[in-house]
Amino acid sequence: MDSAVRSAYVRIGREDFDVQSEYLALRDQGEHQSKSGAIVTFTGLVRDAEPDRIVATLELQHYPGMTERVLRDIAAAATERWSLNTVRIIHRTGRLLPTDQIVFVGVACTHRAAAFQGCEYIMDCLKTQAPFWKKITTPEGGEHWADFKVNDAEAARRWLSGRSSR
Amino acid sequence: MINVLFFGCLQDAAGADRIQSDFQPTPADLIASLATEKPALAEALRQPQVMVAIDQTMAGLDSPLTDGCEVAFLPPVTGG
């Protein structure tokens, strides 16, 4: 199967990432790269405020093993649906501060429409399916677990409603 | 023996990130076995939005458990 030879890179850990290095990897690595005419990347950052409170730090927890597998499954589904040539997903764990990078998704494929949609699909699925949990610490030292957002679920659901790739 | 893992807010309810339990046939039976000692935890685990994974694969409350398996209770995810 063609998609089986296409590559997905998934990394979860405490280390930060460099967007330029990730972009270059999307552009230059993999046997399909000469076919890619579009690269779309997304970087998620830690905000300094939730809707109702100030955020001092975030602590990111995951389920080692299962989280990696869920991300690989999401990447495989996106690769299949939009004929992506390369996918790179990085998600950080541990303690993070406002403005820290938390997540990176990058895709390379033939045309831009599929690249935009594939990248957005991966992020929507990551937000709703990948086993990560955020604990928020406020400047006063209070701690609580972040709430699941309903609009994240709605964003992910619209990909199920038969909206097709172009 | 069953290895039971808790994530996110369920760790607060459990007071631990993992425990060991005697064998139970299903996750539902496992929750029931915890209810006597930890009723608040059992109630948290029964919330409909809590998902169950058996050996890192999504499963249901009535899915069969095997001796030595790993059961994880996952509250709604909040990554990204």
Side-chain angles (χ1 to χ4, degrees), chain A residues 9-17 60-72 89-94 102-104 126 130-132:
Chain A
Y9 171 89
V10 171
R11 189 177 91 209
I12 298 170
R14 291 178 173 268
E15 319 88 78
D16 200 1
F17 53 85
L60 255 295
Q61 181 183 75
H62 76 300
Y63 185 177
M66 184 167 179
T67 307
E68 284 86 346
R69 205 167 70 227
V70 170
L71 292 180
R72 283 184 195 290
I89 303 175
I90 301 172
H91 201 298
R92 296 180 68 196
T93 56
I102 181 167
V103 61
F104 175 89
L126 183 154
F132 290 101

Side-chain angles (χ1 to χ4, degrees), chain A residues 61 63 69 91 132 134 145, chain B residues 8 11-12 56 70 78 80:
Chain A
Q61 181 183 75
Y63 185 177
R69 205 167 70 227
H91 201 298
F132 290 101
K134 287 189 185 103
W145 292 95
Chain B
Q11 291 181 349
D12 297 344
Q56 305 204 347
E70 179 176 285
T78 56

Side-chain angles (χ1 to χ4, degrees), chain A residues 60-67 69 91 102-103 123 126-135 145-149, chain B residues 5-12 17 51-58 70-80:
Chain A
L60 255 295
Q61 181 183 75
H62 76 300
Y63 185 177
M66 184 167 179
T67 307
R69 205 167 70 227
H91 201 298
I102 181 167
V103 61
M123 265 314 296
L126 183 154
K127 295 282 289 187
T128 51
Q129 297 170 21
F132 290 101
W133 298 274
K134 287 189 185 103
K135 183 181 256 187
W145 292 95
D147 292 326
F148 181 80
K149 295 191 175 68
Chain B
L5 273 56
F6 305 103
F7 289 94
C9 59
L10 296 175
Q11 291 181 349
D12 297 344
D17 58 2
M51 294 186 292
V52 184
I54 301 172
D55 291 330
Q56 305 204 347
T57 300
M58 298 312 293
E70 179 176 285
V71 178
F73 290 98
L74 316 175
V77 299
T78 56

Side-chain angles (χ1 to χ4, degrees), chain A residues 62-103:
Chain A
H62 76 300
Y63 185 177
M66 184 167 179
T67 307
E68 284 86 346
R69 205 167 70 227
V70 170
L71 292 180
R72 283 184 195 290
D73 289 348
I74 293 169
T79 297
E80 180 77 23
R81 186 162 170 179
W82 283 283
S83 297
L84 306 179
N85 292 330
T86 310
V87 174
R88 294 180 77 82
I89 303 175
I90 301 172
H91 201 298
R92 296 180 68 196
T93 56
R95 185 165 293 250
L96 297 172
L97 303 172
T99 74
D100 279 351
Q101 302 184 127
I102 181 167
V103 61

